[in-house]
Amino acid sequence: MIDRLTLAIVVQSLALLWIGPACEASSLGLTVHAVPLQSDGGQSVRAHFTVIASNPCPPLTGLCTEGVNCTLHKAYFPFSGIKPDSGWCVRQWEQVVPSHYNSTISLNSRTTFHILMKAGPDARANNGKFNHPAYVALPPPIRARENCPHHIQLSVKDLDGDKVRCRFAMEEQGECLDCTPHSFIELYKDACMLTFTGNAPVGQYSIYLMAEDYIPTPKAGQVRESQPISSVPVQLSLSVEQSYSSCTDEPVATGKTPKEHTTFHVLPFEEVKFEAEFISRKEGVSEIAVVGQPGLIKYGFASTGALSQLSMSWVRGENTLTHLFPICFVANSMSLQSEPRCVWLYQREVRILPHGTELICNKTAMTLVLPLGSLSNINLTELQLNSPTCPVTFNDTHLTAHVALEGCGTKTVHAGRELVFTNTLKSVRPYSMITRQPSLILPLACRIPAVQARGPNFNVTVPVTVFFNSDVRLEFHLPGEGPFAEYTYHPQFSPIGLMPGPMRRDSAPVRHIRALQGGPGSRIKELDLHLLSNTTLERAELSVKRCVESASENFAESLIIMENGCTAFNTTKEIRATSNARIFRLDVTNLVENTMYAECEVDLCIPFLPSQTCVTQCNKGLVNRAATIMLSKTFTVRSGPVSLVATTPVPSTSVVTGAAGQNEGPATAPTVEAVTITSSAPEQTSFMAVGITFNIICLYVIIRESFFIFVEK
Ligand SMILES: *[C@@H]1O[C@H](CO)[C@@H](O)[C@H](O)[C@H]1NC(C)=O
Ligand SMILES: *[C@@H]1O[C@H](CO)[C@@H](O)[C@H](O)[C@H]1NC(C)=O
Ligand SMILES: *[C@@H]1O[C@H](CO)[C@@H](O)[C@H](O)[C@H]1NC(C)=O
Ligand SMILES: *[C@@H]1O[C@H](CO)[C@@H](O)[C@H](O)[C@H]1NC(C)=O
Ligand SMILES: *[C@@H]1O[C@H](CO)[C@@H](O)[C@H](O)[C@H]1NC(C)=O
Ligand SMILES: *[C@@H]1O[C@H](CO)[C@@H](O)[C@H](O)[C@H]1NC(C)=O
Ligand SMILES: *[C@@H]1O[C@H](CO)[C@@H](O)[C@H](O)[C@H]1NC(C)=O
Ligand SMILES: *[C@@H]1O[C@H](CO)[C@@H](O)[C@H](O)[C@H]1NC(C)=O
């Protein structure tokens, strides 16, 4: 009896699940931004898909074979949200598809999209180029409340300046399946604005639209009669929830938030930052949900009392994204949602520089030489760098500028795995001056690749395990030796702060005095401590928490060498290397033992912002550091025995051939035994043992790629 009753309830709830609107949407949104390919006569487009799927977040595997015609954006933090229901995530990919495209795309059995797109080819009469279909910004899943009418304004743009209208997708045209428009949704086609009347039962609904572009006509009203140039699908979701409070209590964006439809123009390697801020008087905001584009960084979410905020940043590195792309966000509280707000980023188009242009980067400066022939009509006296104090000179044929990397207003950004120094040469006019002369904007960039080993692998979705495949090693090498000889032979030192007063020593304690002798058997004066990581994650940095040295293997008595970014000895210097290596030059003349051991605690971390660092800096508050770290994992690494006595050369070990900054005697160069040690293999005993191959890193010039010109009329 009980069994039957239970069964009946199960069947009933199953039936509810099947007939209720809730089962309709595990696909919570879709947009396609199509870019016509000139190369094959517009028969194909590069389609940039953005979809929202309900959790668990489906993988991108099996969509297409990655290559020139397909890019899967495997973000390790896909955009995601917790409202409504069990939450959702954003999946994005780019694929070359026919411009007339009719297909069903399945991410998994629950997330299936039907797509019918007519995207050309249509050559435009005014410039002969292929038409760009409209771009619609995809908002996070929309939430509304029973009996609370609500407007939903879509943000749409058209690169050709066409008029964009939206209409419901038509089932009879094959534009969607099973998609009769809901009676409680009204659509103002010309404005792409939806109105929810409020008269709907609680549940989740899909809205299928087509966005179409029309040649703008002088007379409004004529649009209706003409044919659209292209049609692209847009799918939205609306979840209708129960209403517990008045219809006007939603969170509202403050003036700090960029206005709806704002467009930011971005130069190569430029960083765009903005903040979303909301006031919510009724309920605290639990999330500011974002649907953006790959590479967008969100950080600093805070919700205190009625105020909530989130910062966002994007650095334009090399990318395959569309010239124009949207970022939409909403504030969600327990039962309320703000209006969605969308902003757009426009990647300014750049021209390849004229033949004969040169940009040379060295360790301290970039030097630009630009032939003037190509710059007719540009008023050269108006040209300035970021800082007007750095001179730009020109003669009859060439313009020359010397731009200091530390000065001249040069900025530093992280773009992907590169550190990029940027400056801009541009026309600057007095405000009062109105002129029809074109102006010049010339972004300059010197790029330092981080580890060039191989591309990042973002195949990891769980934040705490992003460093699962990473390791940290500790190695000792003589100055100018080892895998980083490039850096340690002619070292560039970075400043490193001293530990506060009482903890510091000006030299290591002398346990007993040793006579120092030259030649074989002599003491080593300086040693380079290398802390190396093999992470392939973008923007990972190495932060040294603490290093100690001891005469014994069990570290019974140990001496702090470094702590919290500070050094204990004023003789310790840091050598600039790569983001995957921290190298410290230690003066070991005062260590009495013949053999030492070292142990370090090191953090691998990723900063929130591309232009921030999560490396602990001496005497900078820890609070500050906590606010900058997105992810971190601590490693403890120990060396094996390190001999501090130089011995006669042995053929099988390497030989120091004159370390920089040392007064080596001309006689016999010392060698060192038992030095390269990692935490996992303390028995390894050779200077030569190098586990990871790091490429040579230097400031270098990539004329064709690092260098763009943009002439504004
Ligand atoms: C990429 O797509 C273009 C246009 O459809 C086609 O011509 C080309 O062969 C494709 N390339 C690859 C590697 O699939
Ligand atoms: C789209 O493809 C499906 C399946 O191949 C087909 O049945 C349908 O007629 C096509 N629709 C259009 C508009 O071409
Ligand atoms: C780098 O270039 C600048 C400007 O041309 C020059 O003044 C400086 O001496 C160069 N530095 C090095 C280390 O070559
Ligand atoms: C060039 O710019 C300067 C500064 O704005 C101005 O004084 C000068 O008249 C301009 N020259 C020409 C030829 O327009
Ligand atoms: C102008 O400057 C360029 C670059 O410094 C130089 O190569 C060229 O010889 C100079 N021309 C004249 C006429 O001085
Ligand atoms: C990516 O993840 C999938 C699923 O977890 C796994 O099968 C695949 O081997 C991974 N790829 C790489 C390159 O690690
Ligand atoms: C880093 O080194 C560890 C230990 O040697 C190894 O297991 C891991 O696969 C390496 N990771 C990468 C990304 O090479
Ligand atoms: C380190 O400190 C000692 C004592 O204060 C001082 O004599 C010495 O010059 C300092 N060394 C350096 C490299 O600053």
Side-chain angles (χ1 to χ4, degrees):
M1 203 47 207
I2 290 171
D3 273 2
R4 244 209 238 163
L5 191 63
T6 321
L7 192 67
I9 291 169
V10 169
V11 168
Q12 198 184 16
S13 53
L14 262 180
L16 272 178
L17 205 67
W18 280 107
I19 59 166
C23 70
E24 200 181 321
S26 83
S27 334
L28 299 177
L30 164 132
T31 54
V32 188
H33 295 172
V35 181
L37 294 182
Q38 299 286 339
S39 56
D40 76 344
Q43 295 304 314
S44 305
V45 294
R46 189 167 185 92
H48 298 252
F49 294 92
T50 299
V51 305
I52 303 177
S54 50
N55 280 341
C57 195
L60 287 169
T61 41
L63 275 175
C64 49
T65 313
E66 279 189 272
V68 286
N69 286 344
C70 169
T71 305
L72 304 175
H73 294 294
K74 299 178 197 163
Y76 61 87
F77 288 135
F79 298 103
S80 61
I82 49 181
K83 285 276 178 184
D85 299 332
S86 58
W88 47 271
C89 75
V90 174
R91 305 272 46 178
Q92 291 168 307
W93 71 99
E94 299 165 22
Q95 194 180 355
V96 173
V97 300
S99 51
H100 274 239
Y101 188 52
N102 170 15
S103 178
T104 300
I105 293 173
S106 286
L107 292 186
N108 59 24
S109 58
R110 296 163 54 251
T111 316
T112 296
F113 298 89
H114 176 71
I115 291 173
L116 185 69
M117 174 171 77
K118 289 182 195 144
D122 280 286
R124 297 186 68 87
N126 55 350
N127 60 11
K129 295 208 169 144
F130 291 114
N131 179 60
H132 290 87
Y135 289 178
V136 179
L138 182 62
I142 297 161
R143 299 163 66 207
R145 287 172 294 152
E146 260 184 312
N147 303 319
C148 288
H150 191 70
H151 293 303
I152 304 155
Q153 175 65 63
L154 294 181
S155 189
V156 297
K157 298 261 181 194
D158 187 284
L159 279 172
D160 308 308
D162 294 332
K163 169 83 193 134
V164 180
R165 300 175 73 223
C166 298
R167 62 170 172 83
F168 285 117
M170 290 185 278
E171 197 168 351
E172 60 277 18
Q173 302 282 326
E175 289 170 340
C176 57
L177 306 172
D178 218 2
C179 52
T180 319
H182 304 290
S183 58
F184 47 84
I185 304 274
E186 290 163 3
L187 174 64
Y188 297 89
K189 296 180 177 176
D190 287 341
C192 285
M193 186 169 80
L194 298 153
T195 301
F196 168 59
T197 62
N199 304 321
V202 167
Q204 200 161 73
Y205 305 94
S206 291
I207 302 168
Y208 300 90
L209 303 174
M210 301 301 286
E212 301 184 319
D213 54 340
Y214 293 81
I215 301 278
T217 49
K219 266 194 210 162
Q222 284 198 348
V223 158
R224 240 159 269 269
E225 279 73 56
S226 62
Q227 284 292 310
I229 317 172
S230 67
S231 304
V232 290
V234 178
Q235 190 185 318
L236 307 171
S237 78
L238 172 72
S239 83
V240 178
E241 300 172 12
Q242 261 167 341
S243 177
Y244 299 103
S245 59
S246 101
C247 287
T248 54
D249 290 332
E250 288 108 359
V252 179
T254 70
K256 256 194 180 177
T257 313
K259 292 200 165 50
E260 174 75 352
H261 314 308
T262 301
T263 303
F264 296 98
H265 290 75
V266 200
L267 289 171
F269 302 109
E270 199 181 351
E271 179 174 21
V272 177
K273 284 186 208 177
F274 58 89
E275 230 175 85
E277 190 183 72
F278 291 89
I279 290 186
S280 176
R281 306 222 177 267
K282 185 82 185 173
E283 288 180 350
V285 167
S286 52
E287 67 172 350
I288 295 177
V290 181
V291 176
Q293 294 291 320
L296 181 78
I297 312 255
K298 301 176 291 159
Y299 62 99
F301 173 70
S303 179
T304 41
L307 208 62
S308 59
Q309 61 193 32
L310 178 74
S311 301
M312 283 168 260
S313 139
W314 188 75
V315 172
R316 175 174 173 188
E318 275 166 53
N319 65 70
T320 55
L321 304 178
T322 45
H323 279 312
L324 181 66
F325 61 81
I327 297 164
C328 298
F329 44 90
V330 294
N332 278 324
S333 68
M334 188 60 195
S335 54
L336 305 168
Q337 184 180 63
S338 69
E339 303 249 331
R341 181 155 295 196
C342 300
V343 301
W344 296 78
L345 264 51
Y346 180 73
Q347 307 196 57
R348 287 179 139 168
E349 280 181 76
V350 291
R351 248 169 39 187
I352 297 297
L353 276 182
H355 186 70
T357 306
E358 244 180 63
L359 179 71
I360 294 165
C361 300
N362 69 16
K363 289 186 179 177
T364 57
M366 47 180 131
T367 304
L368 169 74
V369 179
L370 187 63
L372 292 184
S374 54
L375 300 182
S376 51
N377 300 330
I378 301 284
N379 183 340
L380 298 176
T381 59
E382 293 178 343
L383 293 178
Q384 284 184 10
L385 294 163
N386 283 2
S387 163
T389 55
C390 280
V392 176
T393 58
F394 50 89
N395 59 21
D396 290 346
T397 55
H398 290 84
L399 176 149
T400 309
H402 297 288
V403 189
L405 298 189
E406 289 177 11
C408 291
T410 303
K411 294 176 188 157
T412 315
V413 296
H414 284 80
R417 296 180 64 72
E418 292 178 329
L419 186 63
V420 185
F421 294 94
T422 68
N423 208 310
T424 310
L425 180 69
K426 61 171 180 262
S427 304
V428 178
R429 296 195 177 117
Y431 280 117
S432 56
M433 213 166 118
I434 296 161
T435 159
R436 305 181 121 247
Q437 273 198 335
S439 56
L440 173 82
I441 301 178
L442 174 59
L444 308 170
C446 286
R447 323 190 319 178
I448 312 179
V451 175
Q452 294 171 318
R454 58 191 167 96
N457 178 1
F458 285 158
N459 204 5
V460 187
T461 48
V462 188
V464 287
T465 63
V466 292
F467 293 118
F468 85 100
N469 197 24
S470 308
D471 210 350
V472 173
R473 301 156 56 92
L474 188 160
E475 295 180 10
F476 276 102
H477 295 279
L478 286 174
E481 285 267 311
F484 285 82
E486 172 85 25
Y487 297 97
T488 61
Y489 190 73
H490 288 301
Q492 266 204 304
F493 295 112
S494 305
I496 167 169
L498 268 181
M499 256 150 79
M503 300 182 67
R504 176 179 85 217
R505 290 181 195 83
D506 289 322
S507 61
V510 180
R511 290 190 197 113
H512 65 84
I513 306 297
R514 272 180 63 97
L516 297 181
Q517 299 159 353
S522 72
R523 294 276 304 185
I524 290 165
K525 292 171 191 148
E526 290 186 315
L527 261 185
D528 290 346
L529 181 147
H530 293 51
L531 291 164
L532 312 170
S533 89
N534 70 348
T535 181
T536 53
L537 281 178
E538 271 196 45
R539 299 173 47 223
E541 298 181 10
L542 264 174
S543 182
V544 183
K545 276 169 122 171
R546 183 185 163 94
C547 282
V548 298
E549 166 278 332
S550 175
S552 61
E553 202 172 353
N554 62 6
F555 286 78
E557 210 190 318
S558 67
L559 192 68
I560 294 176
I561 309 173
M562 273 176 280
E563 192 158 53
N564 293 328
C566 303
T567 168
F569 309 112
N570 69 354
T571 50
T572 304
K573 290 171 276 187
E574 175 158 19
I575 297 173
R576 274 184 214 178
T578 70
S579 67
N580 278 33
R582 301 285 303 272
I583 304 176
F584 300 93
R585 180 150 298 170
L586 309 179
D587 178 338
V588 292
T589 42
N590 285 326
L591 291 180
V592 292
E593 57 268 17
N594 284 336
T595 304
M596 75 164 193
Y597 296 81
E599 186 187 80
C600 291
E601 235 178 277
V602 182
D603 272 343
L604 266 182
C605 59
I606 296 182
F608 265 119
L609 256 192
S611 51
Q612 277 177 337
T613 175
C614 56
V615 170
T616 306
Q617 286 157 315
C618 189
N619 299 329
K620 298 251 171 87
L622 286 174
V623 182
N624 191 5
R625 173 172 151 81
T628 60
I629 299 178
M630 190 158 76
L631 287 170
S632 81
K633 180 175 174 184
T634 304
F635 295 80
T636 301
V637 285
R638 218 177 241 208
S639 76
V642 180
S643 168
L644 298 177
V645 182
T647 55
T648 358
V650 176
S652 62
T653 50
S654 66
V655 173
V656 175
T657 54
Q662 273 191 279
N663 302 318
E664 293 294 343
T668 328
T671 51
V672 178
E673 297 171 343
V675 174
T676 300
I677 309 293
T678 70
S679 54
S680 50
E683 66 284 352
Q684 264 183 282
T685 56
S686 162
F687 250 147
M688 311 288 278
V690 178
I692 321 145
T693 311
F694 289 83
N695 276 17
I696 298 161
I697 313 295
C698 58
L699 287 159
Y700 76 111
V701 202
I702 309 174
I703 295 214
R704 234 170 282 107
E705 294 168 39
S706 64
F707 206 6
F708 305 85
I709 190 166
F710 179 73
V711 179
E712 272 187 332
K713 298 254 165 155

